Amino acid sequence: MDKKEDEQASQEAYAYTPGLKVKHVENVVKERRLPLLGEVLVKEGDSVSYDAVVAKSMVPGDPYIVKAASVLGVEPDELRGYAVKKEGDHVRKDEVIARYVTLFGLFKKLVYSPIDGTVETISEVSGQIVVRPPPNPIAVSAYIPGKVVKVIPHEGVLVETKASFIQGIFGIGGETHGVLKVLVSKPEEVLTADKISPEHKGCVLVGGSQVTLDALKKAVEVGASGVVAGGISYDDVINFMGQIIGVAITGQEELGLTLIITEGIGKINMSRRTFNLLKQFEGHMVSMNGATQIRAGVIRPEIIKPLDKAEEEAYSEELLGGMKIGTPVRIIRDPYFGLIGKVSGLPVELQKIKTESYVRVLEVELEDGRKVTVPRANVEIIEE
């Protein structure tokens, strides 16, 4: 890129820095709720996988209205006498549901069902017959592997896991998951179509400073689950979506994959911290969701890499090892769940806890002045 092109790229790049989370260890809790009452399929304490269905329900189909009295040429209050089906009866498409026969059967007027379904209403006021199709099943998956920590009867559950957690600035497309593949060698590199191949089917692909429109189309073509990059051209977003970006929530688009932009519009190097964390988990399964809302009730797109026990302990030791007196922390386990304080002591020796295990602990002075001792793995540093 020559100097003129470089200056143009800089002018067209818009970065946003709203304090997005990029955390090695986060206590992630996701609410998995049905849009209407149904059946919860798991119980508190159950372990669930990405695709595990945790709740299901049936959504009524949209009704079809047949102007039966008008077709038959009778008054609305006479309709029930000509109906050959009653309310609650199942009918097939093109099956007769009402008839009018005169002149010894030589003249007939017939009303047919427009769909397979159930006769819901025969109205003597409007002269209409309402046929409703069978309900559509809906299912809610866990989205992340973890433990069910709460059941909301007939509605859903809360699933909790320890994970590395990255937020983006903008995204499109909904929840998905796949094996993480980093296709560039550095955060300054552009993700282009030539870097994507059929072997990336079902994968979450990571670029650097930008993803091109051709790369997005190629990712859809090979069946990739998602793409993550630092930036993207505004025109490429519009061309990929086929419409202007609105101010409402995104995440419902059906474009063939989920896209998350971590830095902003234009060609912007991905944060090295974000890039390094993604690079660290190459070959591992991650969840991602492009849903974004920038108005009240902010929603950020996210990438979640659930941690196994060994990874969790390693990261906790790595992160908390650099902790010092006065570091602000939040406790993320009972009996002090959610309380905030500052580190007041860092004992060196292992201590025995209720589970009979020996672990590293720290002393925390809570906001109300109390001092408590908790396992180091039970706190997270509050990023200032």
Side-chain angles (χ1 to χ4, degrees):
M1 179 182 288
D2 61 28
K3 184 176 180 181
K4 184 176 180 181
E5 289 175 329
D6 187 53
E7 289 176 352
Q8 183 178 359
S10 298
Q11 291 170 358
E12 292 177 350
Y14 296 89
Y16 305 92
T17 54
L20 303 178
K21 286 185 177 181
V22 180
K23 303 188 71 173
H24 282 75
V25 182
E26 173 86 339
N27 196 54
V28 178
V29 179
K30 289 295 175 183
E31 182 181 83
R32 314 302 295 157
R33 191 184 289 263
L34 291 164
L36 71 170
L37 297 182
E39 179 185 4
V40 176
L41 305 178
V42 294
K43 60 183 183 299
E44 190 171 318
D46 282 355
S47 294
V48 292
S49 61
Y50 292 92
D51 292 321
V53 176
V54 297
K56 66 179 182 178
S57 186
M58 303 294 285
V59 178
D62 293 331
Y64 282 72
I65 298 174
V66 183
K67 297 178 180 179
S70 177
V71 173
L72 297 177
V74 301
E75 294 299 320
D77 60 1
E78 299 176 314
L79 176 60
R80 196 172 293 273
Y82 295 96
V84 298
K85 296 289 183 179
K86 61 182 182 299
E87 290 163 340
D89 282 353
H90 296 288
V91 294
R92 305 290 294 178
K93 182 179 180 181
D94 296 329
E95 184 176 356
V96 174
I97 55 177
R99 74 175 71 188
Y100 178 57
V101 182
T102 62
L103 297 176
F104 306 102
L106 296 177
F107 180 71
K108 296 181 181 179
K109 291 184 179 179
L110 304 176
V111 177
Y112 302 94
S113 174
I115 56 167
D116 292 345
T118 303
V119 176
E120 187 173 87
T121 306
I122 300 173
S123 175
E124 296 175 326
V125 176
S126 66
Q128 298 172 341
I129 296 178
V130 177
V131 183
R132 189 178 291 273
N136 299 310
I138 58 169
V140 174
S141 67
Y143 172 51
I144 55 172
K147 181 176 288 188
V148 176
V149 294
K150 182 179 180 181
V151 171
I152 307 167
H154 307 295
E155 294 186 56
V157 300
L158 299 183
V159 178
E160 179 184 55
T161 192
K162 276 290 183 68
S164 290
F165 184 76
I166 296 171
Q167 288 182 321
I169 186 66
F170 166 74
I172 52 179
E175 297 174 351
T176 188
H177 61 270
V179 175
L180 196 70
K181 295 290 184 181
V182 180
L183 303 187
V184 297
S185 59
K186 52 188 178 180
E188 298 83 12
E189 192 174 343
V190 176
L191 177 56
T192 52
D194 61 291
K195 296 181 172 68
I196 301 172
S197 65
E199 68 181 26
H200 295 132
K201 180 179 180 180
C203 295
V204 174
L205 311 179
V206 178
S209 58
Q210 191 173 26
V211 57
T212 66
L213 177 60
D214 286 343
L216 288 175
K217 291 179 177 178
K218 183 69 173 294
V220 172
E221 180 184 321
V222 303
S225 293
V227 171
V228 183
I232 187 172
S233 158
Y234 181 76
D235 288 341
D236 285 352
V237 175
I238 295 173
N239 288 330
F240 184 61
M241 294 182 66
Q243 62 184 37
I244 300 293
I245 304 171
V247 296
I249 186 171
T250 68
Q252 302 301 315
E253 302 82 8
E254 296 182 3
L255 302 171
L257 56 71
T258 294
L259 170 68
I260 293 180
I261 299 302
T262 63
E263 312 303 325
I265 298 299
K267 183 180 179 183
I268 310 173
N269 297 343
M270 182 181 288
S271 157
R272 188 162 293 278
R273 183 180 179 192
T274 301
F275 184 82
N276 290 343
L277 187 54
L278 292 171
K279 184 71 175 176
Q280 194 165 345
F281 290 121
E282 182 162 17
H284 292 256
M285 188 75 75
V286 298
S287 297
M288 66 184 298
N289 185 0
T292 308
Q293 180 169 292
I294 59 176
R295 298 185 296 180
V298 172
I299 298 172
R300 298 294 184 192
E302 62 188 19
I303 305 153
I304 301 170
K305 163 55 178 77
L307 302 175
D308 59 33
K309 196 65 179 176
E311 289 172 329
E312 178 185 332
E313 291 176 355
Y315 280 123
S316 294
E317 287 297 322
E318 177 185 337
L319 293 176
L320 297 176
M323 189 178 290
K324 59 182 183 293
I325 303 299
T327 299
V329 294
R330 178 185 294 106
I331 301 175
I332 57 175
R333 283 283 187 274
D334 287 334
Y336 307 109
F337 177 78
L339 298 183
I340 293 174
K342 292 185 176 181
V343 176
S344 58
L346 293 164
V348 176
E349 64 279 359
L350 299 178
Q351 292 191 21
K352 188 177 182 180
I353 59 175
K354 289 182 179 180
T355 62
E356 303 296 321
S357 300
Y358 284 86
V359 299
R360 293 194 182 280
V361 300
L362 54 78
E363 296 168 357
V364 179
E365 182 177 349
L366 302 176
E367 291 180 314
D368 61 8
R370 286 183 295 160
K371 290 187 177 182
V372 297
T373 300
V374 296
R376 294 193 183 194
N378 286 8
V379 305
E380 62 180 10
I381 296 174
I382 298 176
E383 297 176 334
E384 299 181 297

